[in-house]
């Protein structure tokens, strides 16, 4: 959904519920298709030139002196030094740390930004011509998934969880290849994983026990790199850069 500008929630709700003619709805929706198509075309053409990389997800609210910001920077640096590109959401916080580490490490540093009324703006560590801007979350997520050969998930909020579960779901349902999903920070992720195991799987049977095998949990930059390289060696792959 595009990020339309409203003064407040009441105005947004009133506009959403306003009675419109069928012709007006059809016309607006039809024209939106062309904007969506343009975002897909621009995204595919730009990302195809960059090539597959490792995505780093995490909170836009993480401050530069936070331990997870510093850890994300170290992780991205090691990933870049090992020959992998880094893709982030292009904004501040963990995303900035990821791009900063990739930039310092000499690897491709890519930012897929989303237009939001708060928090989000391009960070200064994205390579020239590797900063893409999106209005639609779903188009942006397609770019993450299509061009990522690994997902590093740092602590974050609802957006980070959305990106993580999108990747897990697509791998679980075999819609995309089984690339590594690495959660960083046991103290942050352990409660969620315990709930998935004890409630979602063991109590309600809404997932399979083997689905947890899609996820690795680590605490250090060396563990992240080891997980990525172990996967690449297992399938006889090599970095793209």
């Amino acid at each position: 959904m595009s990020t339309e500008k409203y003064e407040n929630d009441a105005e947004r709700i009133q506009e959403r519920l306003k009675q419109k003619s069928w012709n007006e709805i059809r016309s607006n929706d039809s024209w939106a298709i062309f904007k969506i198509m343009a975002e897909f075309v621009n995204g595919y053409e730009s990302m195809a030139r960059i090539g597959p990389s490792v995505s780093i997800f995490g909170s836009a609210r993480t401050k530069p002196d936070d331990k997870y910001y510093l850890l994300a920077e170290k992780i991205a640096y090691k990933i870049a030094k090992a020959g992998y590109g880094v893709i982030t959401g292009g904004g501040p916080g963990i995303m900035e740390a990821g791009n900063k580490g990739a930039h310092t490490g000499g690897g491709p540093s890519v930012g897929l930004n989303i237009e939001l009324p708060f928090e989000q703006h391009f960070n200064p560590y994205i390579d020239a011509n590797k900063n893409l801007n999106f209005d639609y979350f779903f188009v942006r997520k397609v770019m993450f998934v299509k061009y990522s050969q690994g997902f590093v998930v740092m602590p974050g909020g609802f957006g980070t969880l959305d990106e993580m579960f999108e990747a897990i779901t697509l791998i679980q349902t075999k819609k995309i290849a089984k690339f590594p999903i690495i959660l960083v920070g046991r103290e942050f992720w352990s409660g969620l994983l315990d709930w998935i195991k004890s409630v979602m799987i063991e109590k309600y049977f809404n997932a399979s026990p083997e689905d947890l095998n899609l996820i690795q949990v680590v605490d250090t930059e060396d563990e992240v790199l080891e997980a990525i390289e172990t996967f690449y060696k297992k399938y006889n792959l090599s970095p793209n850069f």
Side-chain angles (χ1 to χ4, degrees):
M1 183 176 180
S2 181
T3 52
E4 301 171 71
K5 304 298 189 295
Y6 297 95
E7 292 297 323
N8 51 54
D9 286 339
E11 185 178 336
R12 180 187 294 272
I13 293 169
Q14 289 165 4
E15 175 63 23
R16 182 70 178 85
L17 298 179
K18 187 185 297 182
Q19 292 293 325
K20 297 180 181 179
S21 69
W22 168 244
N23 285 336
E24 184 181 0
I25 293 172
R26 184 174 60 185
S27 176
N28 290 342
D29 289 349
S30 296
W31 280 109
I33 291 172
F34 292 101
K35 185 175 182 182
I36 293 167
M37 187 185 304
E39 286 204 356
F40 272 117
V41 170
N42 181 56
Y44 284 145
E45 289 186 346
S46 300
M47 294 302 294
R49 289 193 295 269
I50 295 166
S53 303
V54 175
S55 285
I56 297 179
F57 301 138
S59 176
R61 305 185 186 193
T62 306
K63 302 302 181 186
D65 59 351
D66 186 276
K67 68 176 182 180
Y68 285 116
Y69 181 106
L70 300 173
L71 180 55
E73 185 179 345
K74 292 176 183 177
I75 289 169
Y77 176 83
K78 289 216 165 190
I79 288 174
K81 281 294 187 183
Y84 304 91
V86 171
I87 305 172
T88 79
I94 293 295
M95 295 172 282
E96 178 182 286
N99 288 126
K100 185 178 180 182
H103 181 76
T104 305
S109 179
V110 185
L112 307 182
N113 199 23
I114 186 75
E115 203 171 291
L116 296 175
F118 58 91
E119 286 185 357
Q120 197 78 349
H121 55 78
F122 278 121
N123 67 68
Y125 301 104
I126 302 168
D127 294 343
N129 302 319
K130 291 186 175 70
N131 52 340
L132 282 72
N133 202 44
F134 296 90
D135 277 335
Y136 297 94
F137 267 110
F138 63 89
V139 179
R140 179 177 180 246
K141 287 201 289 185
V142 168
M143 299 306 143
F144 270 122
V145 170
K146 183 173 177 60
Y147 294 98
S148 294
Q149 290 186 328
F151 303 92
V152 176
V153 191
M154 306 294 297
F158 292 125
T160 300
L161 293 177
D162 178 46
E163 291 161 342
M164 178 187 75
F165 281 116
E166 175 88 5
I168 292 172
T169 300
L170 291 172
I171 292 173
Q172 177 204 41
T173 55
K174 303 187 187 304
K175 291 295 184 180
I176 64 172
K178 184 183 176 181
F179 292 116
I181 298 174
I182 306 162
L183 309 189
V184 181
R186 285 185 173 87
E187 66 175 1
F188 183 86
W189 295 108
S190 60
L192 174 63
L193 294 176
D194 288 343
W195 177 84
I196 291 173
K197 182 176 185 294
S198 63
V199 179
M200 183 187 292
I201 294 176
E202 294 178 353
K203 184 175 181 178
Y204 289 97
F205 311 104
N206 289 330
S208 301
E210 57 267 22
D211 290 335
L212 280 176
N213 296 334
L214 299 174
I215 305 167
Q216 300 177 68
V217 188
V218 304
D219 283 314
T220 69
E221 65 270 25
D222 290 332
E223 289 176 300
V224 171
L225 190 61
E226 181 183 0
I228 293 171
E229 296 198 319
T230 297
F231 171 84
Y232 270 68
K233 289 175 183 175
K234 178 179 178 180
Y235 293 99
N236 198 28
L237 300 173
S238 60
N240 293 284
F241 306 100

